[in-house]
Amino acid sequence: MSRSGRTTADRERAAPVEVARPARRRRRDSPRDRRRRRLLAAAAALAVLALAGWALWASPLLSVRDVRVDGATTLTADQVVTAAGVAEGTPLLRVDVDAAEARVARLPQVASVQVARGWPGSVVVTVVERRPVAVVEEAGTRSLVDATGVLFDTVTGEPPAGVVPLDVRSPGPDDPATRAALGALVALPGDVRDRVTGAVARTADEVTLTLDDGTVVVWGGGEEAEDKAAVLAALLAEVESGELEPAATVDVSAPDAVVLR
């Protein structure tokens, strides 16, 4: 017996007895419940898709806020933007990049162009401009010509540095004489081309160059352009160093058998 006068048995009889309750059975979903949940999930997915479609196709949140231009040098950014014709506020997804590229490509100075969407609110127009190699004159108009023979701009004053006056009968990308002369100019190293003050091509096989000291270079046709350019550069270096006497005419039309006169 304890000090309180109660035995262990008395305490055990007095303690409350916990009765285990039967587990509550979870109601099984009926086919109708499952069907309802599937419909609700499908409706939620459609709502999300509709919201996303609206955001991409019509929302001002993803619309054009600016048109950026990369690569323009002689053209101004405003000229390119105007040609692209992409209106601010147009949803980006609705911008016809192919049509914009086609419009910019019509600018004579543009050799190639790429228009891309810049999320979330930009259109980027990247242009590669034509690089002038020569200048030709027709009916009093002087036009710049790129390496492919395309006449793309007019000049009234001095042409850009390194641009060579070219005399051909029918300048253009389809003219063999134009292509042969341009091939010669493009093949020359930069320091040699800087010395060329004029080029003449009566036919595709009769290209001649004039240097700043009056030397006439008989180039011939468009074949072996790289070999001819290398031989000419080496000869000019020898003349400049005093190893070779200057000549009035240097014929490199056959680069393996150069003739100096």
Side-chain angles (χ1 to χ4, degrees), residues 191-218:
D191 58 338
V192 177
R193 187 165 62 177
D194 288 343
R195 294 189 54 187
V196 179
T197 58
V200 179
R202 295 306 174 203
T203 68
D205 296 320
E206 299 177 285
V207 178
T208 59
L209 312 174
T210 302
L211 305 185
D212 53 6
D213 61 358
T215 301
V216 175
V217 178
V218 179

Short mmCIF file of all heavy atoms in Angstrom, two decimals, residues 191-218:
data_model
loop_
_atom_site.label_atom_id
_atom_site.label_comp_id
_atom_site.label_asym_id
_atom_site.label_seq_id
_atom_site.Cartn_x
_atom_site.Cartn_y
_atom_site.Cartn_z
N ASP A 191 47.88 47.00 -99.08
CA ASP A 191 48.86 48.05 -99.35
C ASP A 191 49.10 48.23 -100.83
O ASP A 191 49.42 49.34 -101.29
CB ASP A 191 50.18 47.72 -98.63
CG ASP A 191 50.76 46.37 -99.03
OD1 ASP A 191 49.99 45.51 -99.52
OD2 ASP A 191 51.97 46.17 -98.86
N VAL A 192 48.92 47.16 -101.61
CA VAL A 192 49.07 47.29 -103.07
C VAL A 192 47.83 47.94 -103.66
O VAL A 192 47.93 48.82 -104.53
CB VAL A 192 49.33 45.91 -103.72
CG1 VAL A 192 49.40 46.05 -105.24
CG2 VAL A 192 50.61 45.30 -103.17
N ARG A 193 46.67 47.52 -103.22
CA ARG A 193 45.45 48.12 -103.77
C ARG A 193 45.39 49.62 -103.47
O ARG A 193 44.86 50.40 -104.27
CB ARG A 193 44.21 47.43 -103.22
CG ARG A 193 42.93 47.91 -103.90
CD ARG A 193 41.76 47.01 -103.65
NE ARG A 193 41.38 46.92 -102.26
CZ ARG A 193 40.34 46.24 -101.82
NH1 ARG A 193 39.59 45.56 -102.69
NH2 ARG A 193 40.06 46.20 -100.55
N ASP A 194 45.95 50.03 -102.35
CA ASP A 194 45.95 51.46 -102.02
C ASP A 194 46.77 52.26 -103.03
O ASP A 194 46.60 53.49 -103.13
CB ASP A 194 46.52 51.67 -100.62
CG ASP A 194 45.56 51.21 -99.53
OD1 ASP A 194 44.37 51.03 -99.84
OD2 ASP A 194 46.01 51.02 -98.38
N ARG A 195 47.65 51.58 -103.76
CA ARG A 195 48.48 52.27 -104.75
C ARG A 195 47.82 52.31 -106.14
O ARG A 195 48.33 52.99 -107.04
CB ARG A 195 49.85 51.59 -104.86
CG ARG A 195 50.70 51.69 -103.61
CD ARG A 195 52.10 51.18 -103.89
NE ARG A 195 52.71 51.86 -105.02
CZ ARG A 195 53.89 51.52 -105.57
NH1 ARG A 195 54.55 50.48 -105.08
NH2 ARG A 195 54.36 52.18 -106.61
N VAL A 196 46.73 51.60 -106.31
CA VAL A 196 46.06 51.55 -107.62
C VAL A 196 45.21 52.81 -107.78
O VAL A 196 44.32 53.09 -106.98
CB VAL A 196 45.18 50.29 -107.74
CG1 VAL A 196 44.47 50.27 -109.10
CG2 VAL A 196 46.03 49.03 -107.58
N THR A 197 45.50 53.55 -108.83
CA THR A 197 44.75 54.78 -109.09
C THR A 197 43.70 54.61 -110.17
O THR A 197 42.88 55.52 -110.39
CB THR A 197 45.71 55.91 -109.51
OG1 THR A 197 46.43 55.51 -110.68
CG2 THR A 197 46.69 56.22 -108.39
N GLY A 198 43.71 53.48 -110.85
CA GLY A 198 42.70 53.24 -111.88
C GLY A 198 42.78 51.84 -112.42
O GLY A 198 43.83 51.19 -112.37
N ALA A 199 41.65 51.35 -112.92
CA ALA A 199 41.57 50.02 -113.53
C ALA A 199 40.75 50.13 -114.80
O ALA A 199 39.74 50.85 -114.84
CB ALA A 199 40.96 49.02 -112.57
N VAL A 200 41.18 49.40 -115.83
CA VAL A 200 40.47 49.39 -117.11
C VAL A 200 40.29 47.94 -117.53
O VAL A 200 41.21 47.13 -117.40
CB VAL A 200 41.26 50.15 -118.20
CG1 VAL A 200 40.49 50.10 -119.54
CG2 VAL A 200 41.51 51.60 -117.79
N ALA A 201 39.09 47.62 -118.02
CA ALA A 201 38.82 46.27 -118.53
C ALA A 201 38.01 46.39 -119.81
O ALA A 201 36.80 46.58 -119.76
CB ALA A 201 38.08 45.44 -117.49
N ARG A 202 38.70 46.31 -120.95
CA ARG A 202 37.98 46.38 -122.23
C ARG A 202 37.21 45.09 -122.48
O ARG A 202 36.12 45.10 -123.04
CB ARG A 202 38.97 46.62 -123.37
CG ARG A 202 39.66 47.97 -123.29
CD ARG A 202 38.66 49.10 -123.20
NE ARG A 202 39.29 50.40 -122.98
CZ ARG A 202 38.66 51.43 -122.45
NH1 ARG A 202 37.39 51.30 -122.06
NH2 ARG A 202 39.28 52.58 -122.28
N THR A 203 37.81 43.98 -122.07
CA THR A 203 37.14 42.68 -122.11
C THR A 203 37.53 41.95 -120.83
O THR A 203 38.35 42.43 -120.03
CB THR A 203 37.57 41.83 -123.32
OG1 THR A 203 38.95 41.43 -123.15
CG2 THR A 203 37.40 42.60 -124.62
N ALA A 204 36.98 40.76 -120.64
CA ALA A 204 37.29 39.99 -119.43
C ALA A 204 38.73 39.50 -119.43
O ALA A 204 39.26 39.12 -118.38
CB ALA A 204 36.35 38.79 -119.34
N ASP A 205 39.40 39.51 -120.58
CA ASP A 205 40.79 39.05 -120.68
C ASP A 205 41.77 40.21 -120.81
O ASP A 205 42.97 39.98 -121.01
CB ASP A 205 40.96 38.12 -121.88
CG ASP A 205 40.14 36.85 -121.72
OD1 ASP A 205 40.10 36.32 -120.59
OD2 ASP A 205 39.53 36.40 -122.71
N GLU A 206 41.30 41.44 -120.72
CA GLU A 206 42.17 42.61 -120.91
C GLU A 206 42.00 43.59 -119.75
O GLU A 206 41.48 44.68 -119.92
CB GLU A 206 41.86 43.31 -122.22
CG GLU A 206 42.07 42.46 -123.46
CD GLU A 206 41.66 43.21 -124.72
OE1 GLU A 206 40.44 43.35 -124.95
OE2 GLU A 206 42.56 43.66 -125.45
N VAL A 207 42.46 43.18 -118.59
CA VAL A 207 42.41 44.03 -117.40
C VAL A 207 43.79 44.65 -117.20
O VAL A 207 44.81 43.95 -117.20
CB VAL A 207 42.01 43.23 -116.15
CG1 VAL A 207 42.01 44.13 -114.92
CG2 VAL A 207 40.64 42.58 -116.34
N THR A 208 43.82 45.96 -117.03
CA THR A 208 45.07 46.65 -116.70
C THR A 208 44.83 47.56 -115.50
O THR A 208 43.74 48.10 -115.32
CB THR A 208 45.59 47.50 -117.89
OG1 THR A 208 44.60 48.46 -118.24
CG2 THR A 208 45.92 46.62 -119.08
N LEU A 209 45.88 47.71 -114.70
CA LEU A 209 45.84 48.56 -113.52
C LEU A 209 46.92 49.63 -113.64
O LEU A 209 47.99 49.37 -114.20
CB LEU A 209 46.08 47.73 -112.25
CG LEU A 209 45.27 46.45 -112.08
CD1 LEU A 209 45.74 45.69 -110.84
CD2 LEU A 209 43.79 46.75 -112.01
N THR A 210 46.66 50.80 -113.11
CA THR A 210 47.65 51.87 -113.08
C THR A 210 47.97 52.19 -111.63
O THR A 210 47.05 52.40 -110.81
CB THR A 210 47.13 53.13 -113.79
OG1 THR A 210 46.79 52.80 -115.14
CG2 THR A 210 48.18 54.22 -113.79
N LEU A 211 49.28 52.24 -111.31
CA LEU A 211 49.71 52.52 -109.94
C LEU A 211 49.99 54.02 -109.77
O LEU A 211 50.06 54.79 -110.75
CB LEU A 211 50.96 51.71 -109.61
CG LEU A 211 50.84 50.19 -109.80
CD1 LEU A 211 52.12 49.50 -109.31
CD2 LEU A 211 49.63 49.65 -109.06
N ASP A 212 50.17 54.41 -108.52
CA ASP A 212 50.33 55.83 -108.21
C ASP A 212 51.62 56.43 -108.76
O ASP A 212 51.74 57.66 -108.86
CB ASP A 212 50.24 56.06 -106.70
CG ASP A 212 51.19 55.17 -105.92
OD1 ASP A 212 52.01 54.46 -106.54
OD2 ASP A 212 51.10 55.16 -104.67
N ASP A 213 52.59 55.60 -109.14
CA ASP A 213 53.83 56.13 -109.73
C ASP A 213 53.80 56.06 -111.25
O ASP A 213 54.81 56.30 -111.92
CB ASP A 213 55.05 55.39 -109.19
CG ASP A 213 55.03 53.89 -109.53
OD1 ASP A 213 54.03 53.43 -110.14
OD2 ASP A 213 55.98 53.18 -109.18
N GLY A 214 52.63 55.71 -111.82
CA GLY A 214 52.49 55.64 -113.26
C GLY A 214 52.73 54.27 -113.86
O GLY A 214 52.52 54.07 -115.06
N THR A 215 53.18 53.32 -113.05
CA THR A 215 53.42 51.97 -113.56
C THR A 215 52.11 51.34 -114.02
O THR A 215 51.09 51.40 -113.32
CB THR A 215 54.05 51.09 -112.47
OG1 THR A 215 55.28 51.67 -112.04
CG2 THR A 215 54.31 49.68 -112.99
N VAL A 216 52.16 50.72 -115.21
CA VAL A 216 50.99 50.03 -115.74
C VAL A 216 51.17 48.53 -115.50
O VAL A 216 52.21 47.96 -115.87
CB VAL A 216 50.82 50.31 -117.26
CG1 VAL A 216 49.68 49.47 -117.83
CG2 VAL A 216 50.58 51.79 -117.50
N VAL A 217 50.18 47.94 -114.91
CA VAL A 217 50.20 46.51 -114.62
C VAL A 217 49.26 45.82 -115.61
O VAL A 217 48.04 46.08 -115.62
CB VAL A 217 49.76 46.20 -113.18
CG1 VAL A 217 49.76 44.69 -112.93
CG2 VAL A 217 50.68 46.90 -112.19
N VAL A 218 49.85 44.97 -116.45
CA VAL A 218 49.03 44.18 -117.37
C VAL A 218 48.58 42.93 -116.61
O VAL A 218 49.38 42.04 -116.33
CB VAL A 218 49.83 43.80 -118.64
CG1 VAL A 218 48.96 42.95 -119.56
CG2 VAL A 218 50.33 45.04 -119.35
#
